[in-house]
Amino acid sequence: MENSATFNPLFGTTHSPVNAHFNKNASDFVVRENPLYEFSGSGEHLVVEIQKKDLTTSDALGILSRQTGAKMCDFGYAGLKDKEGMTTQFISFPAKFEQALSNFSHEKLKILSTTRHNNKIRIGHLKSNHFFIRLKKVMPSEATKLKEALKNIGNNGYPNYFGYQRFGKFGDNARSGEEILNAGLSGDKSVMRKFNPKLRDFMISAFQSELFNKWLSKRVEMSHFAGEFSVKELENIYKIDKAKATQIKSQKQFFRLIPGEVLGHYPFGKVFLCEDLDAEVSKFTARDRTSMGLITGGKAYESVGFAKTIEDEIFGEAYKFGKFMNGSRRFAWAWLENLEYKYNEEVAQFTMSFTLQKGSYATVVLREILHREIFDE
C-alpha cells in the first residue's frame, strides 16, 4: 500500500489526473525480463526462463526447489519480480537437476525455455524489463489525455522514484529501517534481534529509498521553479549567485542539471562530477547521461558545491549511519524505450508497452502518467 508520508513525489509532467481503471493482474500487467548478456549454451548451470502468475520470485524458487531437489541457495536470479501480474524471468541452478524438470507442471508457473551457461546468474545481471499495461473504463476524452501524457514522457523522460513496493503495506518499512540504524549506533541488540539479517537489510534499504525520493522531489520542484521564476527569484530561493541561477534558468529541458552534482553515463557507465554544465546539459538532452541521485551510505561518490548543499538538506541527518549502510548512486531521471500505445474505444481500453532500465518501476511511470495514486484500485 502506497503511503503519502513516505512516497510523495512531485510530477515531472503537467496535466490533470486521468480517470482510468488499473488492476495489477495477469491480464493487465505483464513483465518480461531482458538479460544483461546472451547465455553461452553450454556450461554447468541450467538457465530456465520461467513465466509465473501471482507468485513472488521466492515462491517460484520454492516450487522449483521442491520439484528438483536443488537447494534455495543453488538458484541464481537477476532480480525480484512482482507477485501481482504475469512476469517472465531467467533463473539458474546446477544442470545436474535438469532431468527432474522433465515432467514439471504447475498451474501458476511455466517453463518457457532452457539453455546452459558457464556461470550462475547473479543479482544485477539484468539489462532491462519490458512492460505491458492495460487500462480499462477509459473514455475518449481520457484517452486523449493519456496519449498526450505518453508523448510528453516519451520525449522528456520521467523522475525515477522508488515505488511504493519498497515501503511496505502500511508504509512503515523506512521507519523500521531508521529504528534499526539507531539501534546500531546505540548498541541496542534487542532491536537488532527483531529482524533476520535479510529483512534488516531490506528495511535499511527502504530508509535509503525514502530519502532518495525526498531528494528527487526537491530536484523536480527546483525544475518547476526554474520554469516559473526569474533568475533573481531563484537567487533568493536557493541562496545562490546570479551565475548559478542563470545556468539553471537558461536550460530548455524540464529537469534541470545543477553544477557540482554527480552524473552518470546512460544507460551504463561510470559516474563523475558535473563540471562543464553547458556541455553536460547537451549530452543529457541527447540521453547520453543523467543525474545520479544519492543512496546514502559509506563510500558513495560525493557531489560538491551547490549540489552538495541540496543533498545535505535531505541526507544530512542520515550521514551518521554511514558505516551501517552501503552507499551508491541511482538514476534520478530516466527515459522510456520501445514505447507503444493503443486505444480501443469499443471496449474502453487503453494499452501501453515500454521498456525500463533495471531498478525502475512501471508503477512509478504509470503514476506519472495518471497523475494520481494507483495502489488502491
Side-chain angles (χ1 to χ4, degrees):
M1 181 74 68
E2 190 167 333
N3 186 301
S4 60
T6 58
F7 186 67
N8 187 27
L10 292 173
F11 297 114
T13 51
T14 54
H15 60 270
S16 59
V18 177
N19 185 22
H21 179 75
F22 171 65
N23 194 336
K24 204 174 180 185
N25 58 46
S27 297
D28 300 334
F29 186 77
V30 181
V31 188
R32 186 182 73 247
E33 182 179 273
N34 297 319
L36 184 61
Y37 43 73
E38 290 187 12
F39 302 113
S40 64
S42 62
E44 300 177 355
H45 297 269
L46 183 70
V47 175
V48 180
E49 184 182 13
I50 63 170
Q51 182 184 79
K52 61 185 187 64
K53 173 183 175 183
D54 301 328
L55 296 171
T56 66
T57 297
S58 294
D59 291 337
L61 297 184
I63 292 168
L64 291 173
S65 176
R66 291 188 290 274
Q67 172 71 23
T68 63
K71 297 179 181 179
M72 291 292 282
C73 62
D74 290 330
F75 290 94
Y77 55 90
L80 300 175
K81 293 291 180 289
D82 297 79
K83 177 179 180 179
E84 299 86 0
M86 183 80 74
T87 62
T88 299
Q89 69 181 120
F90 294 89
I91 63 168
S92 68
F93 56 93
K96 65 182 181 180
F97 296 106
E98 181 175 9
Q99 185 59 35
L101 290 178
S102 59
N103 62 345
F104 177 75
S105 177
H106 193 279
E107 61 179 354
K108 292 186 177 182
L109 180 63
K110 293 182 179 180
I111 294 176
L112 302 182
S113 67
T114 61
T115 186
R116 295 285 188 99
H117 193 58
N118 313 88
N119 304 311
K120 182 178 183 179
I121 297 176
R122 302 288 182 182
I123 293 291
H125 288 190
L126 169 66
K127 180 180 180 182
S128 59
N129 290 297
H130 187 74
F131 297 88
F132 169 86
I133 294 173
R134 189 196 319 273
L135 302 176
K136 296 178 178 178
K137 302 179 183 179
V138 181
M139 296 297 100
S141 59
E142 301 302 297
T144 299
K145 288 161 65 175
L146 283 169
K147 290 175 183 178
E148 289 303 313
L150 282 164
K151 286 179 184 177
N152 190 336
I153 226 175
N155 290 332
N156 301 317
Y158 64 95
N160 191 34
Y161 294 106
F162 283 100
Y164 65 85
Q165 299 93 322
R166 278 276 168 141
F167 305 113
K169 183 177 181 180
F170 301 105
D172 56 357
N173 285 356
R175 296 285 69 77
S176 296
E178 188 174 16
E179 181 185 7
I180 291 167
L181 291 165
N182 277 313
L185 279 181
S186 65
D188 184 353
K189 294 183 180 180
S190 64
V191 174
M192 305 296 280
R193 285 194 291 266
K194 288 169 58 178
F195 306 93
N196 65 48
K198 190 172 183 179
L199 183 58
R200 189 164 63 232
D201 289 345
F202 184 78
M203 295 301 183
I204 292 173
S205 176
F207 174 70
Q208 294 170 298
S209 301
E210 181 184 68
L211 292 178
F212 175 93
N213 278 0
K214 289 181 177 179
W215 169 85
L216 184 51
S217 292
K218 179 73 172 179
R219 288 294 302 273
V220 173
E221 177 190 69
M222 289 178 64
S223 296
H224 280 296
F225 284 1
E228 296 171 3
F229 296 112
S230 67
V231 169
K232 187 64 177 177
E233 288 171 321
L234 293 177
E235 289 180 65
N236 294 331
I237 292 171
Y238 297 112
K239 304 297 186 290
I240 54 178
D241 58 41
K242 183 177 180 180
K244 288 188 178 67
T246 301
Q247 281 185 309
I248 295 170
K249 175 69 178 177
S250 63
Q251 295 176 43
K252 303 301 181 185
Q253 80 285 354
F254 168 74
F255 188 79
R256 265 58 170 196
L257 302 186
I258 58 178
E261 73 168 303
V262 177
L263 302 177
H265 294 275
Y266 188 87
F268 308 106
K270 294 182 179 180
V271 297
F272 56 94
L273 283 178
C274 179
E275 296 176 315
D276 185 344
L277 186 60
D278 291 340
E280 300 304 344
V281 166
S282 176
K283 293 173 182 177
F284 173 79
T285 56
R287 307 185 184 187
D288 182 61
R289 57 203 52 187
T290 190
S291 172
M292 302 293 291
L294 177 63
I295 305 297
T296 186
K299 300 182 180 180
Y301 198 104
E302 292 191 3
S303 59
V304 299
F306 177 50
K308 183 68 163 60
T309 300
I310 296 297
E311 288 186 352
D312 289 348
E313 291 179 12
I314 306 298
F315 301 102
E317 289 298 315
Y319 292 154
K320 63 186 177 184
F321 301 131
K323 67 179 180 180
F324 300 105
M325 305 183 293
N326 293 321
S328 62
R329 291 279 169 174
R330 165 186 169 87
F331 294 150
W333 197 261
W335 293 271
L336 304 181
E337 299 173 18
N338 307 311
L339 173 62
E340 295 182 359
Y341 50 89
K342 182 179 180 180
Y343 177 54
N344 186 331
E345 186 174 350
E346 287 187 10
V347 294
Q349 295 183 3
F350 192 102
T351 59
M352 65 185 81
S353 61
F354 48 79
T355 300
L356 301 181
Q357 294 300 319
K358 66 179 181 180
S360 296
Y361 292 80
T363 50
V364 167
V365 173
L366 185 57
R367 188 181 188 277
E368 178 76 27
I369 293 166
L370 297 179
H371 266 226
R372 59 180 178 80
E373 309 295 351
I374 61 170
F375 59 88
D376 57 353
E377 298 189 3

